[in-house]
Amino acid sequence: MVKPMRYRDIQAALLRNGCRWAQGKGDHEKWFCPCGEHMAVVNTARTVSAGVVGDLIRKLACLPEGWLQ
């Protein structure tokens, strides 16, 4: 079961796994996986909802299992 997480924890995990980001609209950022084929959008709020965290894990499928722990 996915739980809400702090944005800075998500950001650190993405950077640690070689992902890169681009500015989206407003308080959203686009994150791209190292292979360049997958993209997910994350809002930069202090707490990111469980639905967005689950979507992020599903969309960045090329990252190793358990990367966001």
Side-chain angles (χ1 to χ4, degrees):
M1 173 141 192
V2 180
K3 296 182 180 180
M5 294 182 68
R6 293 187 313 181
Y7 170 73
R8 65 183 184 190
D9 293 338
I10 294 172
Q11 181 185 35
L14 288 165
L15 291 172
R16 191 172 46 245
N17 283 283
C19 295
R20 56 186 174 81
W21 67 277
Q23 185 63 43
K25 288 191 170 198
D27 66 343
H28 291 76
E29 291 179 347
K30 295 179 184 178
W31 284 90
F32 299 92
C33 68
C35 74
E37 294 182 22
H38 306 102
M39 189 266 301
V41 177
V42 180
N43 59 328
T44 59
R46 184 173 294 185
T47 303
V48 178
S49 71
V52 173
V53 173
D55 188 52
L56 179 68
I57 293 169
R58 188 175 69 254
K59 287 185 177 177
L60 298 181
C62 67
L63 296 178
E65 189 171 330
W67 67 271
L68 189 59
Q69 290 186 7

